[in-house]
Amino acid sequence: MDEFKKLKKIIDELRKDLYDLIEQKSDLLDPEVVFASQLLDSALDEYYKILEKKKDK
């Protein structure tokens, strides 16, 4: 599995975890929710960097 596919799978898992956590906490400002959101943001940033590199080729 290439880096792009691995990252996409991680993003899907992080997104699901975030949704589940939001349902549990019912507070978007809960520190755990914020942390999960930041992890997802970082993974998405990396994903788009890879997309840009592929575009440039």
Side-chain angles (χ1 to χ4, degrees):
M1 187 182 295
D2 69 1
E3 183 182 7
F4 186 74
K5 288 181 182 178
K6 284 181 189 177
L7 195 51
K8 186 162 176 12
K9 183 177 179 182
I10 290 169
I11 288 168
D12 291 341
E13 291 171 5
L14 288 171
R15 184 175 286 128
K16 182 188 177 308
D17 292 346
L18 178 59
Y19 289 150
D20 291 346
L21 197 54
I22 289 169
E23 283 185 17
Q24 289 174 358
K25 300 292 183 174
S26 300
D27 180 8
L28 295 178
L29 297 177
D30 183 281
E32 287 182 64
V33 173
V34 172
F35 181 73
S37 177
Q38 290 171 337
L39 287 176
L40 178 57
D41 286 346
S42 294
L44 287 168
D45 287 344
E46 191 63 32
Y47 178 84
Y48 286 111
K49 285 179 188 175
I50 293 170
L51 277 180
E52 286 298 316
K53 286 181 186 176
K54 285 189 175 197
K55 266 191 205 178
D56 292 340
K57 290 183 178 181

